[in-house]
Amino acid sequence: MRCFDRSHRPWRQSAVCLLCWFVVQAVQAEEAWLQRSQAILQALEGQTRPDWLNGQSEQLDVKRQAQQVLEASQAIRAEALSTRSTTLASDQPTTSSNKPLTLLFVSFSLGESALKSIFEEASGRDDVLLVFRGPKPGQKLPALMTDLKRLLKGMNPVPNIVIDPTRFQRWSVSSVPDIVVEQGGKALLHVRGVSSLSWLDEQIKAGKQGDLGTMGDVGEITEIDLLEELKGRMAAIDWKQKQQQAIARFWEQQKFENLPAAQADRDRIIDLTITAPRDLTAPNGQLIIRTGQTVNPLDKMPFGLCLKVFDATVPAQVELIRHQSCQDKKARVMYLATQLPREDGWGNLKNLETTLKSPVYLLTPDVRSRFHLQHVPSIVEQSDHQIVIRERKLPVSSGERS
């Protein structure tokens, strides 16, 4: 929901004070006074904010799709083709980084017969990487894997194959076949319309370098560009709608600390005085409390807060708690709602804060337990050297929500 303002030293001191009297109810818990101070402070200083503005679910969906692209390359080899390791689209080439790597860009538009010949020639060549851009339009990655496995059946070893649209974009590959010999991130040789690796080897031996142009027939790339596909899907998302849906989901899924309405006016006292069963020392060894010493934290530090706890779905409780006064006029008033209307939760919260002219926080299980809260509306504040919880019954004319 919200975070408490850490700039208010009295609240910070009071939060530490809370530690001292509620953690030590059991004899075994006296060491936890210091150890749990930060945890209690954090628990009292608010709850985790919802992640409702970043389109997280949609981003995760895109990430999953991108991960499928990487896993597809692995599946070609790992599942049914070979026991040899595979090259993922995001990994380094199979050759050492100081050696040239031949990228042979291919597509099913070349025909299965031509593709199978290319696969056979690339078989056993760790310096050659066969690159596909993605699946065909409307085709799922598993179907693409099935097609590749069929062409690679019986081939041993299988060639290095990846699905990597980033390389198509990097080297501006718009037709196939296309060969790029890269080294150190630069293209040593680039030629289009050729798929023969033996011909390529001869050119390299002859010292050919640079862009050799188009040396044969080229065809279109049948497969989709997965990167552009994902970008298109992201652009098509109505982020404002997703944001509103995320906001609605937050309130639908929010767990409230519901408390029954008070049936009678009742004041309950919490005595914070404790007796230390043994010496309690700080981490630096400084003695804090001796064995048998009786301590009331309120003697050393005032509570400094007036907690108003109420059910925000009951208008009568809101009105009562709004006009109910705290005995300590110097105490900082803090409103804790046990629940809020789930429909238009953020709008209702804004209206409630406008009415009360103050921030409103959700009651947490930790605070409910530490103050032994039982009914609402109620006020928690200091009275002399004790904490008093004042439960108040609604006037009969106010009624309860139906």
Side-chain angles (χ1 to χ4, degrees):
M1 272 300 292
R2 299 178 176 276
C3 294
F4 293 121
D5 185 359
R6 294 175 179 268
S7 64
H8 289 77
R9 184 173 298 276
W11 159 243
R12 193 175 183 86
Q13 292 174 339
S14 299
V16 175
C17 176
L18 289 179
L19 156 74
C20 296
W21 23 279
F22 284 111
V23 178
V24 293
Q25 294 181 4
V27 173
Q28 297 82 1
E30 70 274 3
E31 296 93 342
W33 288 3
L34 296 174
Q35 295 176 355
R36 295 178 62 186
S37 60
Q38 188 61 33
I40 293 175
L41 185 59
Q42 291 174 351
L44 293 177
E45 288 187 344
Q47 303 182 67
T48 303
R49 291 178 180 273
D51 215 349
W52 52 273
L53 281 177
N54 59 3
Q56 184 179 22
S57 61
E58 285 68 37
Q59 291 180 0
L60 289 176
D61 182 60
V62 171
K63 288 180 180 179
R64 279 195 295 269
Q65 295 179 57
Q67 183 64 29
Q68 287 179 343
V69 176
L70 302 184
E71 292 173 350
S73 296
Q74 187 173 16
I76 295 174
R77 305 168 71 83
E79 290 184 11
L81 303 179
S82 172
T83 57
R84 296 173 56 204
S85 61
T86 187
T87 302
L88 297 183
S90 61
D91 288 345
Q92 295 297 319
T94 55
T95 60
S96 301
S97 58
N98 61 341
K99 294 182 180 180
L101 176 69
T102 297
L103 304 177
L104 178 46
F105 295 91
V106 294
S107 167
F108 272 90
S109 64
L110 296 174
E112 293 189 358
S113 178
L115 275 179
K116 191 165 185 178
S117 297
I118 293 173
F119 291 170
E120 290 173 347
E121 189 175 11
S123 174
R125 299 242 345 219
D126 289 337
D127 63 331
V128 175
L129 196 61
L130 305 181
V131 189
F132 283 85
R133 194 169 66 175
K136 302 172 187 177
Q139 184 184 44
K140 302 295 185 181
L141 285 174
L144 173 60
M145 296 302 100
T146 300
D147 290 343
L148 290 174
K149 290 175 184 178
R150 176 168 45 81
L151 294 179
L152 292 165
K153 185 177 181 180
M155 199 173 298
N156 187 24
V158 296
N160 298 311
I161 301 177
V162 294
I163 301 171
D164 189 357
T166 62
R167 281 190 163 108
F168 275 80
Q169 291 188 1
R170 180 180 182 183
W171 299 115
S172 301
V173 176
S174 59
S175 61
V176 288
D178 193 316
I179 295 179
V180 174
V181 180
E182 67 174 18
Q183 183 178 25
K186 298 181 179 180
L188 301 181
L189 185 148
H190 193 171
V191 61
R192 301 159 193 84
V194 177
S195 62
S196 173
L197 296 176
S198 58
W199 177 89
L200 178 68
D201 292 340
E202 292 176 0
Q203 305 307 306
I204 294 176
K205 288 180 181 179
K208 297 290 182 67
Q209 292 184 354
D211 193 335
L212 304 185
T214 302
M215 306 292 288
D217 294 334
V218 295
E220 65 177 5
I221 303 171
T222 303
E223 293 75 24
I224 64 172
D225 186 328
L226 275 176
L227 287 182
E228 294 303 320
E229 177 75 9
L230 296 182
K231 288 179 182 178
R233 293 184 186 182
M234 291 289 288
I237 294 175
D238 186 341
W239 290 109
K240 184 176 182 179
Q241 181 186 38
K242 295 298 182 183
Q243 173 182 319
Q244 294 172 345
Q245 292 174 349
I247 294 173
R249 285 196 301 271
F250 171 76
W251 289 107
E252 290 173 0
Q253 300 170 4
Q254 178 65 41
K255 293 183 178 179
F256 295 118
E257 289 297 308
N258 294 328
L259 291 172
Q263 299 301 310
D265 291 349
R266 181 176 64 154
D267 291 353
R268 295 187 292 113
I269 300 297
I270 298 179
D271 187 353
L272 309 181
T273 302
I274 54 92
T275 300
R278 56 175 178 269
D279 289 349
L280 179 64
T281 58
N284 61 4
Q286 179 182 0
L287 180 65
I288 304 299
I289 299 177
R290 296 183 180 279
T291 303
Q293 183 177 354
T294 299
V295 177
N296 185 340
L298 295 180
D299 293 338
K300 303 293 184 180
M301 187 183 304
F303 183 43
L305 292 175
C306 177
L307 306 181
K308 294 188 175 184
V309 189
F310 63 103
D311 185 342
T313 66
V314 182
Q317 288 199 25
V318 175
E319 282 302 307
L320 187 147
I321 212 72
R322 175 187 177 190
H323 295 97
Q324 195 77 21
S325 299
C326 301
Q327 288 188 351
D328 184 356
K329 303 305 179 181
K330 296 181 180 181
R332 179 187 174 193
V333 177
M334 185 169 294
Y335 293 94
L336 301 179
T338 58
Q339 61 177 332
L340 287 162
R342 294 187 184 274
E343 184 177 354
D344 191 21
W346 294 103
N348 280 294
L349 174 61
K350 182 179 179 180
N351 293 335
L352 180 61
E353 291 183 332
T354 299
T355 299
L356 298 176
K357 299 179 181 180
S358 176
V360 176
Y361 307 87
L362 283 182
L363 177 66
T364 65
D366 188 55
V367 174
R368 174 183 179 177
S369 173
R370 279 170 171 75
F371 288 103
H372 304 286
L373 296 175
Q374 298 176 4
H375 300 92
V376 286
S378 61
I379 293 179
V380 180
E381 60 180 332
Q382 180 176 347
S383 178
D384 294 328
H385 297 280
Q386 297 174 319
I387 294 294
V388 60
I389 296 93
R390 308 184 193 278
E391 300 174 355
R392 292 295 178 262
K393 178 184 177 181
L394 293 178
V396 176
S397 58
S398 299
E400 291 288 340
R401 67 183 165 125
S402 56

